[in-house]
Amino acid sequence: MRHFLNPLDFTVEELDQVLDLAERIRQNPARYQEVCKGKKIATCFYEPSTRTRLSFEAAMLNLGGSVLGFSSADSSSAAKGESVADTIRIISGYADICAMRHPKEGAPLVAASKSSIPVINAGDGGHQHPTQTLTDLFTIRTLKGRLGNMTIGLCGDLKFGRTVHSLIYALSRYAGIRFVLISPEQLRIPSSVRQLGLEAKGIEYKEVERLEDVISELDILYMTRIQKERFFSEDEYLRLKDSYILDKEKLKMAGPDCLIMHPLPRVNEISTEVDDDPRAVYFKQAHFGVFARMALIMTLLELKEPEEKEGEATC
Ligand code: NCD
């Protein structure tokens, strides 16, 4: 049995296979609509979520399975003091697979160690968010046609932004990747990510504060929200919250093929006037998350590719 707690839990080949499956599902969703018949996913979310939880649920429903779960710690026995370890033992008897989000780093890892069903890390504190990374890789591969040989600008809260950490680890395994890390001094990437994700692998990167200085060099600009809930001081958050605002004016400096991505939710960092620009792909990215999660669920449940149906329409 396998879990998915970190993008590095899968080899590059395995990750590529998941993305290939996601693409086959995108091309022909009808073929997959019964592969999870009789299976259940438990979504155990101890932290707020819109996209991740609902896209997991949509993914399982699209595959013909069912969903159960809770969407806040308050509505689960965590509010009575139950440990994650005990909760997962119980969930293991109710569902076939579990997606867990938790404010504490490592909570899904603890759950996995006690679980008899596959556990997926749906975001643990400021640490990792590997299924957002699957979504991001699928988006990049689909829209750019490749995952290597590109310059990626990561902009915003690189310290607490878990999507950025997982994306760095995942992309650093492809050839010709160069990162431009754009953040205020206080929100630079953690030293662990710098050492393990970049330096140990000899990845080319630079750190800058001004987006305007580098935007023209980027193939992808990945904007992120300043992670208010992870700040120790409200004043510090207020000082940093509007560090970056991508508007039409700034976007003029970006190349014609530069993709603007964001894991969402956005607060102020991308002005709504950017939404209609063909380079803005963040809403598409969120939709691609359903295919990526369908492929992941099938992979972890070791489900076979369904037979092609006669007269099957592809889209
Ligand atoms: C991200 C997260 O939860 O880390 N959201 C998401 O899952 N799409 C990004 C964020 O909250 O800023």
Side-chain angles (χ1 to χ4, degrees):
M1 184 185 64
R2 296 189 70 177
H3 305 289
F4 190 58
L5 305 171
N6 180 318
L8 302 182
D9 287 345
F10 282 5
T11 63
V12 179
E13 292 71 31
E14 286 171 334
L15 221 44
D16 288 343
Q17 278 164 19
V18 175
L19 301 179
D20 289 343
L21 175 56
E23 179 56 21
R24 292 197 297 279
I25 295 172
R26 186 172 82 94
Q27 296 288 338
N28 193 345
R31 185 187 297 172
Y32 298 84
Q33 66 196 11
E34 291 188 352
V35 284
C36 278
K37 216 169 168 188
K39 304 274 184 203
K40 287 176 257 159
I41 188 167
T43 50
C44 300
F45 277 56
Y46 296 82
E47 250 194 359
S49 170
T50 298
R51 270 152 296 273
T52 306
R53 186 170 65 83
L54 297 185
S55 65
F56 264 117
E57 298 190 357
M60 191 48 136
L61 294 171
N62 290 346
L63 294 169
S66 327
V67 302
L68 65 159
F70 52 85
S71 57
S72 75
D74 289 351
S75 62
S76 78
S77 280
K80 301 179 185 170
E82 185 169 59
S83 67
V84 161
D86 280 3
T87 303
I88 195 69
R89 281 195 173 99
I90 304 306
I91 303 283
S92 291
Y94 297 165
D96 301 280
I97 187 165
C98 171
M100 178 180 284
R101 169 171 289 188
H102 202 286
K104 287 211 179 109
E105 302 193 352
L109 177 67
V110 171
S113 72
K114 302 289 179 195
S115 179
S116 51
I117 57 173
V119 173
I120 300 169
N121 177 4
D124 61 330
H127 185 220
Q128 295 253 17
H129 193 346
T131 66
Q132 181 62 48
T133 296
L134 271 186
T135 301
D136 299 341
L137 296 180
F138 186 57
T139 304
I140 298 172
R141 206 181 78 158
T142 306
L143 302 180
K144 281 268 182 216
R146 64 183 195 278
L147 282 171
N149 300 316
M150 61 180 91
T151 298
I152 294 144
L154 300 168
C155 178
D157 187 346
L158 309 188
K159 178 178 179 186
F160 297 118
R162 55 194 175 193
T163 63
V164 162
H165 306 159
S166 294
L167 189 57
I168 289 178
Y169 284 119
L171 277 176
S172 63
R173 299 193 294 182
Y174 292 88
I177 288 288
R178 177 174 168 259
F179 289 106
V180 181
L181 307 175
I182 309 148
S183 75
E185 173 73 31
Q186 299 89 327
L187 299 178
R188 287 161 74 169
I189 52 159
S191 55
S192 56
V193 179
R194 179 193 317 277
Q195 278 155 24
L196 301 172
L198 299 170
E199 288 174 358
K201 296 179 186 166
I203 305 293
E204 189 186 335
Y205 75 98
K206 67 177 173 184
E207 294 183 282
V208 299
E209 281 200 40
R210 280 170 46 88
L211 174 59
E212 299 84 321
D213 293 347
V214 292
I215 192 166
S216 64
E217 334 170 359
L218 307 176
D219 296 301
I220 290 170
L221 171 58
Y222 191 97
M223 297 294 293
T224 62
R225 171 179 72 91
I226 308 292
Q227 306 276 300
K228 180 177 184 202
E229 66 276 34
R230 313 221 188 275
F231 276 67
F232 297 111
S233 134
E234 168 99 21
D235 284 350
E236 174 93 330
Y237 169 70
L238 293 174
R239 253 196 315 278
L240 295 172
K241 76 180 178 63
D242 290 327
S243 299
Y244 300 100
I245 299 178
L246 180 67
D247 54 18
K248 258 192 169 154
E249 210 38 49
K250 259 182 222 144
L251 193 56
K252 280 189 187 148
M253 293 186 266
D257 299 322
C258 174
L259 297 184
I260 311 300
M261 297 177 65
H262 192 308
L264 302 178
R266 74 167 145 196
V267 188
N268 275 333
E269 58 281 358
I270 302 182
S271 156
T272 52
E273 66 186 21
V274 168
D275 296 355
D276 294 331
D277 191 292
R279 294 168 289 182
V281 299
Y282 28 90
F283 293 120
K284 202 177 254 182
Q285 182 184 353
H287 288 133
F288 281 167
V290 177
F291 304 120
R293 291 184 172 98
M294 287 169 80
L296 178 66
I297 292 170
M298 280 185 65
T299 304
L300 292 177
L301 291 178
E302 297 176 5
L303 298 173
K304 283 205 197 75
E305 184 79 17
E307 301 280 314
E308 196 171 330
K309 289 182 198 148
E310 218 172 297
E312 197 173 64
T314 52
C315 65

